């Protein structure tokens, strides 16, 4: 059978959406390998998959814990060093040697790591780019995903969307002019303006056509328009948009995911409606995180029908939440899928994986977007009427409680959640990613590569 590798960004929020496809491929008899830094070996093994170290010189064992505990300035300084290390590994041959030695029949690469895809292309390794958020490029009247804007439906709306894109691209051009020279002499902590030029150079070295790089994206890393790019999300949750060649929405919620068993289930009160609140695995980055969590504690405590489970994440200021009522269960990490199966409402940060899991399990949500693609995900929640959105700056006890009570008492919102959840579950059960992967593996070139690899492995065993 085939050898399939996944190389995702070094975060659970980017690895978890791939587990459903990986598990299905493994069940079909394929060998599945994750190429990730050493800190993820235990987690990947717990999910039942093989791990091989990748970028371990850049992210040595223990880096996750050190990074989360560091100050914001230190994290910025380390991020610049990590990006420089990745660039060196990509151009210095380390990535190529790892991929050549493994020789996968198919490689899945995170959109934010698509330099790895260029190296794989040079080696002749078939590759698919995986996007853990909705397509971040200009697509009709779709706004940049970092904004809370809705699709344009009027001349004024189109003007606002166009202005948002112009501001984004202008900031990027200014970054190239102002920040990039300072990066060369070590006077800034922002590596982003360097990536487009680096990717263009890497593309030239890999034989990738320069017109296959698209810089007009929400993120500073150019898109590889000459490669297939799959979206790890349901099309039904996206904004309506024109079809695009190569775009495929694939299954992405693994309900078999192994979660932490260390949770005080006996503290849950079955007579109360469970409100589950979590700001995701990157909560340590969010400036407003502790204040948002405090507002949710106070909002839920004021309603005797509710009980709150609060997952703080590894936020260095989580203790600033202060005292909580005895009915509130506070943990650092929670078994999210298991709790969502019992939850009546969810409060999340608008992270796409949390939004998807709440939707699939039929839970209306209050999104409090913090950063990255979260405002755009919250806009989609509002657009489809499956929840409400609260800006972190507006997160007060009164406002949070009013929105939660609206969600709790609205049959129409719950009905929209049920309807969209059914469409999502139908798409997940269809397994379009599995079907397309096996179609690609059946192709003549990949079958030939597989025979050659199996021959080399047999010779090595002999």
């Amino acid at each position: 059978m085939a050898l399939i590798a996944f190389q995702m960004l070094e975060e659970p929020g980017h690895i978890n959406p791939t587990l459903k496809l990986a598990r299905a491929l493994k069940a079909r008899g394929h060998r599945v390998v994750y190429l990730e830094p050493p800190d993820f070996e235990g987690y990947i093994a717990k999910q039942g998959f093989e791990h091989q170290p990748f970028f371990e010189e850049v992210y040595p064992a223990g880096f996750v814990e050190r990074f989360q505990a560091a100050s914001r300035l230190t994290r910025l300084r380390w991020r610049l060093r990590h990006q420089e290390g990745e660039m060196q590994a990509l151009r210095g041959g380390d990535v190529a040697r790892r991929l050549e030695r493994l020789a996968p029949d198919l490689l899945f690469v995170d959109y934010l790591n698509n330099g790895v895809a260029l190296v794989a292309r040079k080696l002749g390794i078939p590759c698919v780019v995986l996007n853990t958020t909705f397509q971040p490029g200009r697509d009709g009247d779709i706004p940049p995903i970092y904004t809370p804007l809705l699709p344009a439906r009027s001349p004024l709306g189109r003007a606002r969307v166009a202005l948002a894109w112009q501001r984004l691209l202008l900031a990027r051009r200014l970054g190239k002019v102002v920040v990039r020279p300072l990066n060369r002499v070590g006077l800034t902590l922002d590596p982003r303006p360097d990536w487009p030029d680096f990717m263009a150079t890497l593309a030239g070295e890999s034989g990738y056509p320069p017109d296959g790089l698209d810089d007009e994206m929400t993120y500073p890393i150019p898109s590889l328009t000459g490669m297939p790019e799959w979206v790890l999300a349901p099309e039904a949750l996206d904004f309506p948009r024109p079809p695009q060649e190569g775009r495929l929405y694939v299954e992405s919620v693994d309900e078999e995911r192994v979660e932490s068993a260390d949770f005080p289930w006996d503290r849950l009160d079955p007579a109360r409606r469970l409100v589950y609140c979590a700001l995701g695995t990157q909560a340590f980055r969010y400036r407003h995180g502790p204040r948002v969590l405090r507002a949710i504690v106070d909002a839920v405590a004021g309603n005797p029908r509710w009980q709150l489970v609060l997952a703080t994440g590894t936020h260095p200021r989580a203790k600033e939440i202060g005292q909580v009522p005895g009915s509130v269960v506070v943990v650092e990490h929670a078994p999210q899928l298991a709790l969502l199966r019992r939850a009546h409402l969810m409060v999340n940060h608008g992270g796409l994986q949390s939004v998807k899991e709440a939707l699939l399990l039929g839970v209306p949500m209050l999104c409090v977007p913090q950063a990255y693609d979260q405002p755009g995900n919250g806009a989609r929640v509002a657009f489809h009427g499956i929840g409400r959105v609260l800006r972190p700056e507006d997160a007060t006890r009164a406002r949070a409680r009013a929105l939660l009570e609206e969600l709790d008492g609205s049959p129409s919102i719950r009905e929209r959640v049920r309807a969209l959840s059914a469409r999502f579950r139908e798409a997940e059960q269809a397994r379009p990613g599995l079907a397309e992967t096996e179609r690609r593996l059946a192709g003549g070139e990949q079958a030939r590569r597989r025979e050659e690899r199996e021959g080399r492995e047999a010779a090595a065993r002999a």
Side-chain angles (χ1 to χ4, degrees):
M1 300 302 283
L3 168 56
I4 302 164
F6 287 81
Q7 204 288 300
M8 303 301 291
L9 193 71
E10 58 286 346
E11 294 178 4
H14 286 246
I15 295 171
N16 284 346
T18 69
L19 294 176
K20 181 160 188 164
L21 176 57
R23 203 174 302 282
L25 288 166
K26 184 179 178 182
R28 294 290 180 95
H30 301 297
R31 179 186 171 195
V32 177
V33 179
Y34 276 85
L35 307 175
E36 300 295 337
D39 281 352
F40 292 90
E41 180 177 4
Y43 182 73
I44 288 166
K46 184 168 72 172
Q47 302 306 326
F49 298 107
E50 181 181 345
H51 168 270
Q52 289 195 13
F54 205 79
F55 284 139
E56 69 266 37
E57 297 297 326
V58 185
Y59 305 103
F63 100 92
V64 169
E65 185 175 352
R66 291 194 298 271
F67 189 80
Q68 292 180 350
S71 67
R72 186 172 186 272
L73 180 62
T74 299
R75 292 201 305 269
L76 286 170
R77 188 164 60 244
W78 286 355
R79 187 179 69 171
L80 180 61
R81 189 173 70 196
H82 292 156
Q83 299 286 9
E84 291 171 344
E86 287 188 21
M87 290 178 180
Q88 177 58 38
L90 288 163
R91 294 199 63 192
D94 183 60
V95 167
R97 285 189 290 273
R98 299 297 179 92
L99 293 178
E100 199 166 25
R101 187 160 58 244
L102 182 63
D105 300 300
L106 182 62
L107 175 65
F108 289 106
V109 175
D110 196 303
Y111 165 79
L112 294 179
N113 281 353
N114 59 15
V116 176
L118 289 176
V119 175
R121 184 185 188 277
K122 183 177 182 180
L123 297 173
I125 297 172
C127 189
V128 172
V129 176
L130 296 180
N131 202 327
T132 57
T133 188
F134 292 108
Q135 296 278 28
R138 301 190 74 165
D139 201 349
D141 291 322
I142 304 298
I145 200 164
Y146 77 92
T147 74
L149 296 174
L150 298 176
R153 291 182 172 178
S154 66
L156 178 59
R158 283 191 288 274
R160 294 170 86 176
V161 168
L163 179 61
W165 278 108
Q166 289 171 8
R167 290 176 60 186
L168 170 69
L169 299 176
L170 177 60
R172 190 162 300 157
R173 285 192 288 271
L174 288 174
K176 287 184 178 181
V177 173
V178 177
V179 179
R180 190 170 55 187
L182 297 176
N183 278 347
R184 295 193 181 116
V185 293
L187 294 180
T188 77
L189 300 174
D190 187 358
R192 290 172 296 179
D194 292 334
W195 271 104
D197 282 355
F198 172 77
M199 288 290 292
T201 301
L202 190 63
E205 295 172 351
S206 305
Y208 184 80
D211 59 359
L213 293 174
D214 184 359
D215 284 338
E216 294 194 352
M217 312 297 289
T218 298
Y219 301 120
I221 299 177
S223 177
L224 305 178
T225 59
M227 290 189 181
E229 185 171 324
W230 297 358
V231 185
L232 290 160
E235 185 174 7
L237 182 59
D238 199 0
F239 290 143
R241 62 171 80 218
Q244 177 178 308
E245 185 178 358
R247 177 191 294 152
L248 182 67
Y249 294 85
V250 303
E251 58 272 27
S252 61
V253 176
D254 178 25
E255 294 184 80
E256 299 177 39
R257 185 175 76 225
V258 179
E259 299 187 291
S260 170
D262 185 18
F263 183 81
W265 293 103
D266 59 312
R267 291 188 58 192
L268 297 187
D269 183 352
R272 292 187 175 192
R273 295 178 174 181
L274 177 61
V275 179
Y276 169 55
C277 174
L279 300 187
T281 57
Q282 299 301 303
F284 66 93
R285 298 178 185 268
Y286 305 146
R287 179 165 56 95
H288 295 289
R291 191 168 62 82
V292 168
L293 295 177
R294 181 71 246 180
I296 299 302
V297 168
D298 292 341
V300 174
N303 189 323
R305 299 192 310 273
W306 296 336
Q307 181 179 24
L308 178 65
V309 170
L310 187 68
T312 64
T314 51
H315 201 297
R317 294 165 48 217
K319 293 181 180 177
E320 294 179 16
I321 298 170
Q323 295 295 315
V324 300
S327 62
V328 175
V329 179
V330 180
V331 293
E332 191 170 281
H333 300 290
Q336 180 155 297
L337 292 172
L339 284 167
L340 284 173
R341 292 188 183 101
R342 300 176 62 159
H344 192 71
L345 298 172
M346 183 187 191
V347 180
N348 61 44
H349 57 306
L352 186 53
Q353 193 66 12
S354 290
V355 169
K356 290 185 299 182
E357 289 174 2
L359 173 61
L360 188 69
L361 296 172
V363 183
M365 68 197 88
L366 174 61
C367 293
V368 193
Q370 308 286 315
Y372 315 122
D373 63 329
Q374 296 161 21
N377 297 331
R380 285 161 173 81
V381 168
F383 178 83
H384 291 290
I386 58 174
R388 292 291 181 260
V389 179
L390 175 64
R391 296 194 316 162
E393 305 93 299
D394 300 332
T396 63
R397 171 187 179 276
R399 185 64 181 145
R401 182 175 177 180
L403 289 172
L404 288 170
E405 288 183 341
E406 180 188 1
L407 291 170
D408 190 11
S410 173
S412 61
I413 292 176
R414 204 162 287 276
E415 179 53 39
R416 284 192 291 271
V417 170
R418 278 195 293 267
L420 196 59
S421 176
R423 293 175 60 191
F424 185 8
R425 188 165 291 280
E426 183 179 353
E428 291 281 291
Q429 291 170 347
R431 298 182 181 270
L434 175 62
E436 179 61 17
T437 299
E438 295 206 310
R439 187 192 69 78
R440 289 174 177 275
L441 292 172
E445 176 62 21
Q446 284 174 295
R448 182 189 63 78
R449 286 178 55 85
R450 190 159 58 250
E451 289 177 3
E452 290 179 353
R453 176 180 53 77
E454 290 170 350
R456 289 194 300 271
E457 291 174 350
R461 288 193 298 270

